């Protein structure tokens, strides 16, 4: 799961070059600064909200560069020692500013620990999907079959809890560390699932759903955070996108778990009880999982950080990664950022990138499309709700699997652009299939095709990329809290769509609502093209230095 970022001049990105008052904004400007006998010539520098590029070659010999630090009026050049750096323009992205380091073969083992973290992603998807198959039967059992309001509370309480959880996950991760936060989070996940499975009243069910919601909210924040911080640079994109893949798998598992309900009306209790198992496994798995080396380094636990690096990346990478961590924090003695720091002029312009991305992700209509998919498939003769949900789930898993294989090859930004572009075209097809009379004979197959392509397009980028990209572009000092704030926008937007979607459909018609979603998707394409950086192939420390969020 972002307006212009990293310092502004009249609403545009700018650089405040050290010892100079001139500021470079969008467009092509020239600037020369003299430091002693050494000159730094940067010709026609073009910036795009954190995407940094050089249109002509820039060479620095025997000079001190980089360390770009955020000021109130833009990004200023701080200090990073380098003998010779050459940058040549290519695609307007951050990798053109800071040269990548060749990555040697790692002897570490990261996959098992990513797998443990992804138990949280499975729980995320499972708790989202489990109520769909269980609601009818639990409503009868708990005596609320005729009470739509209480049924709505059973469904929506999870989202309310998730909003609270997502906003607290970052603070917990900063205070206790990533692995201990996972262990603490297993408590509301397990208790919530147990209360739902054993509920004898709707009040107990709502409390259980609230606790489970808090758990998945915290999970939504710390799973991508932890995976990004323990993954080797060269496969960070692939591993990070696995988070979304396991969320989709969790939803599918919930759908499959609901199949015996028709034969056994009390099966819904087992459906909720199943979630206790991965919650316990998550807690146990994190006991043996290494802590994030970056968090350990920030806490001054250098020997423990080296041990974690050795486990994750191999002993041959310890020096390299520790040097990166020291370089990223060189000269910085600041404590962890507080919540109010996120809204300061120094950080807000990058933080709102994350907030905006998740806002656009939800307002593009994914939950509405999934919600309305059952009616769409029924119009095409697919009367089984389970079959309709399965088709949507298959499209989601297929797209996410493809995205995982492309993340470190095509890059994050290109996948986002292609994804939202495909979503816009699919929504337009859906809108026309409902409103254009000439297409009435073909409306059923066209609407099914449009829904399938929309979900597939979403899974190719808009679904997995935001949760992967944001931990990459946020500075270590604000990373956990900024991710939490962005995920909070995800849950708030999710709740708003669920609350008002049917009202808008009733007032304007499904065709016009879908046309509005298509417009949001096109807006997202324009926003991403102008405001999102490419981060593939760069370590978190390289990105942090380039995006000017360290002092």
């Amino acid at each position: 799961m972002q307006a212009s970022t990293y310092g502004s001049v009249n609403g545009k990105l700018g650089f405040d070059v050290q010892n100079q008052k001139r500021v470079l904004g969008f467009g092509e400007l020239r600037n020369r600064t003299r430091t002693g006998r050494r000159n730094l010539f940067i010709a026609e520098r073009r910036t795009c909200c954190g995407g940094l590029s050089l249109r002509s070659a820039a060479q620095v010999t025997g000079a001190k560069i980089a360390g770009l630090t955020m000021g109130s009026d833009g990004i200023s050049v701080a200090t990073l020692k380098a003998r010779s750096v050459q940058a040549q323009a290519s695609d307007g992205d951050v990798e053109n500013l800071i040269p990548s380091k060749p990555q040697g073969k790692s002897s570490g083992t990261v996959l098992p620990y990513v797998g443990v973290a992804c138990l949280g992603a499975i729980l995320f998807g499972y708790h989202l999907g489990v109520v769909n198959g269980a609601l009818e039967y639990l409503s009868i059992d708990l005596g609320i079959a005729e009470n739509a309001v209480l049924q709505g509370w059973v469904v929506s309480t999870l989202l309310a809890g998730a909003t609270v959880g997502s906003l607290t996950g970052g603070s917990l991760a900063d205070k206790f560390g990533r692995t201990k936060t996972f262990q603490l989070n297993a408590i509301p996940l397990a208790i919530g699932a147990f209360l739902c499975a054993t509920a004898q009243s709707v009040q107990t069910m709502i409390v259980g759903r609230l606790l489970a919601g808090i758990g998945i909210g915290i999970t939504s924040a710390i799973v991508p955070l932890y995976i990004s911080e323990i993954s080797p640079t060269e496969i960070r994109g692939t591993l990070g996108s696995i988070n979304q893949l396991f969320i989709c798998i969790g939803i599918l598992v919930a759908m499959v778990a609901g199949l015996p309900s028709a034969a056994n009306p009390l099966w819904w209790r087992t459906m909720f009880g199943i979630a206790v198992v991965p919650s316990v496994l998550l807690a146990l798995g994190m006991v043996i999982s290494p802590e994030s080396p970056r968090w350990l380094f920030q806490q001054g636990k250098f020997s423990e950080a080296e041990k974690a690096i050795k486990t994750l990346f191999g002993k041959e990478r310890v020096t390299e990664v520790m040097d990166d961590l020291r370089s990223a924090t060189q000269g910085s003695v600041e404590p962890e950022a507080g919540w109010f720091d996120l809204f300061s002029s120094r950080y807000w312009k990058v933080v709102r990138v994350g907030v905006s991305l998740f806002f656009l992700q939800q307002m593009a209509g994914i939950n509405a499309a999934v919600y309305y998919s059952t009616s769409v498939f029924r119009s095409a003769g697919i009367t089984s709700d389970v079959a309709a949900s399965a088709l949507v789930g298959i499209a989601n898993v297929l797209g996410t699997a493809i995205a995982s294989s492309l993340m470190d090859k095509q890059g994050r930004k290109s996948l986002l652009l292609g994804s939202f572009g495909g979503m816009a075209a699919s929504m337009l097809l859906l809108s026309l299939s409902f409103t254009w009379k000439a297409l009435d004979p073909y409306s059923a197959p066209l609407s099914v095709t449009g829904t399938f392509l929309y979900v597939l397009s979403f899974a190719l980028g808009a679904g997995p990329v935001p949760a992967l990209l944001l931990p990459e572009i946020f500075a270590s000092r604000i990373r956990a809290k900024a991710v939490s704030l962005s995920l909070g926008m995800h849950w708030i937007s999710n709740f708003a769509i669920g609350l008002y979607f049917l009202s808008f459909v009733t007032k304007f018609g499904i065709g016009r609502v879908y046309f509005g979603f298509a417009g949001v998707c096109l807006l997202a394409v324009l926003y991403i093209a102008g405001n999102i950086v490419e981060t593939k192939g760069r370590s978190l420390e390289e990105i942090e230095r380039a995006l000017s969020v360290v002092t």
Side-chain angles (χ1 to χ4, degrees):
M1 27 175 346
Q2 305 159 358
S4 61
T5 58
Y6 313 127
S8 63
V9 179
N10 296 326
K12 298 183 177 182
L13 178 68
F15 281 86
D16 178 11
V17 181
Q18 189 175 1
N19 299 324
Q20 289 206 191
K21 299 297 184 182
R22 294 181 59 192
V23 177
L24 305 181
F26 284 111
E28 300 179 354
L29 301 177
R30 291 181 174 83
N31 187 21
R32 175 180 299 185
T33 182
R34 184 183 303 273
T35 306
R37 296 182 178 180
R38 300 181 177 90
N39 297 327
L40 168 62
F41 295 94
I42 303 179
E44 295 180 289
R45 172 169 288 171
R46 179 166 58 95
T47 71
C48 187
C49 294
L52 311 176
S53 68
L54 302 176
R55 285 199 174 227
S56 60
Q59 183 172 0
V60 182
T61 305
K64 293 181 178 181
I65 313 182
L68 299 176
T69 60
M70 178 69 72
S72 60
D73 55 352
I75 301 177
S76 60
V77 178
T79 307
L80 170 66
K81 296 183 179 179
R83 282 193 171 184
S84 177
V85 177
Q86 290 185 337
Q88 180 67 41
S90 60
D91 60 357
D93 293 319
V94 67
E95 63 264 27
N96 300 314
L97 182 66
I98 293 184
S100 62
K101 296 179 180 180
Q103 301 291 341
K105 186 176 180 180
S106 174
S107 64
T109 305
V110 69
L111 290 179
Y113 310 116
V114 171
V116 172
C118 282
L119 287 172
I122 290 176
L123 285 164
F124 183 148
Y126 190 85
H127 278 293
L128 283 179
V130 69
V131 75
N132 292 333
L135 184 61
E136 178 184 353
Y137 303 99
L138 73 86
S139 297
I140 295 173
D141 202 16
L142 299 181
I144 59 171
E146 304 300 324
N147 194 325
V149 173
L150 287 179
Q151 290 181 37
W153 274 102
V154 171
V155 174
S156 61
T157 301
L158 184 84
L159 299 180
T163 302
V164 174
S166 66
L167 293 173
T168 58
S171 296
L172 292 172
D174 279 342
K175 183 176 180 61
F176 299 108
R178 292 22 172 173
T179 56
K180 284 186 174 59
T181 300
F182 273 112
Q183 295 172 53
L184 290 172
N185 189 38
I187 297 173
L189 284 170
I191 294 178
F194 178 79
L195 288 177
C196 289
T198 59
Q200 300 299 319
S201 67
V202 67
Q203 291 83 0
T204 303
M205 171 61 69
I206 289 174
V207 171
R209 291 283 285 173
L210 180 65
L211 288 173
I214 292 172
I216 69 169
I218 295 174
T219 291
S220 69
I222 62 175
V223 171
L225 175 68
Y226 179 70
I227 292 177
S228 71
E229 292 188 339
I230 69 169
S231 297
T233 298
E234 61 272 20
I235 57 172
R236 189 177 64 241
T238 298
L239 295 182
S241 59
I242 288 177
N243 171 50
Q244 180 69 20
L245 179 62
F246 275 90
I247 292 174
C248 299
I249 291 173
I251 294 173
L252 273 179
V253 171
M255 293 175 184
V256 173
L259 292 178
S261 296
N264 182 4
L266 294 180
W267 179 253
W268 68 268
R269 294 187 181 276
T270 302
M271 292 172 63
F272 283 104
I274 288 172
V276 175
V277 177
S279 301
V280 174
L281 292 177
L282 177 63
L284 295 176
M286 280 297 160
V287 173
I288 60 173
S289 297
E291 181 56 81
S292 162
R294 290 170 173 87
W295 183 82
L296 290 170
F297 189 91
Q298 291 169 357
Q299 304 303 309
K301 300 177 180 180
F302 305 123
S303 61
E304 293 180 41
E306 291 178 352
K307 183 179 179 181
I309 294 168
K310 183 179 179 180
T311 299
L312 295 167
F313 305 149
K315 61 182 180 181
E316 66 278 3
R317 300 278 289 275
V318 172
T319 301
E320 172 193 338
V321 176
M322 288 296 290
D323 285 346
D324 264 348
L325 292 171
R326 291 189 186 96
S327 179
T329 58
Q330 188 173 11
S332 175
V333 292
E334 296 176 291
E336 293 287 351
W339 282 104
F340 288 110
D341 290 324
L342 302 184
F343 302 95
S344 67
S345 59
R346 176 183 178 187
Y347 289 124
W348 173 240
K349 293 178 179 67
V350 62
V351 170
R352 77 182 180 194
V353 170
V355 173
S356 299
L357 252 190
F358 274 110
F359 176 80
L360 290 170
Q361 181 200 63
Q362 293 301 305
M363 290 301 167
I366 179 59
N367 289 310
V370 171
Y371 177 86
Y372 208 73
S373 63
T374 301
S375 298
V376 168
F377 288 124
R378 282 177 181 171
S379 70
I382 302 174
T383 57
S384 171
D385 292 352
V386 174
S389 298
L391 285 173
V392 171
I394 289 170
N396 211 356
V397 172
L398 176 62
T400 306
I402 295 172
S404 296
S405 66
L406 296 177
M407 200 69 69
D408 289 309
K409 297 177 182 177
Q410 298 299 319
R412 287 60 153 158
K413 185 174 182 178
S414 61
L415 286 178
L416 277 176
L417 290 171
S419 176
F420 276 105
M423 290 161 65
S426 302
M427 271 296 179
L428 184 59
L429 176 63
L430 281 165
S431 178
L432 292 175
S433 71
F434 286 116
T435 57
W436 199 3
K437 292 184 178 181
L439 295 177
D440 280 349
Y442 316 102
S443 62
L446 285 177
S447 59
V448 170
T449 301
T451 299
F452 187 88
L453 291 177
Y454 177 86
V455 175
L456 182 65
S457 297
F458 174 85
L460 284 172
V465 171
L468 166 65
L469 180 67
L470 301 191
E472 294 181 328
I473 65 173
F474 291 144
S476 56
R477 182 172 180 255
I478 66 168
R479 185 173 293 138
K481 290 185 177 66
V483 168
S484 289
L485 182 65
S486 301
L487 264 299
M489 174 56 70
H490 167 276
W491 291 112
I492 291 170
S493 302
N494 192 328
F495 182 80
I497 288 290
L499 188 62
Y500 293 110
F501 172 66
L502 288 181
S503 298
F504 274 79
V505 170
T506 301
K507 184 174 183 178
F508 300 107
I510 186 63
R512 290 183 179 178
V513 172
Y514 275 7
F515 188 78
F517 286 143
V520 173
C521 292
L522 288 176
L523 179 65
V525 169
L526 296 175
Y527 181 80
I528 291 163
N531 294 274
I532 302 300
V533 303
E534 183 54 71
T535 57
K536 68 171 183 176
R538 303 295 145 193
S539 72
L540 298 181
E541 287 67 43
E542 287 178 306
I543 298 168
E544 180 168 342
R545 291 194 296 269
L547 294 187
S548 315
V549 285
V550 292
T551 56

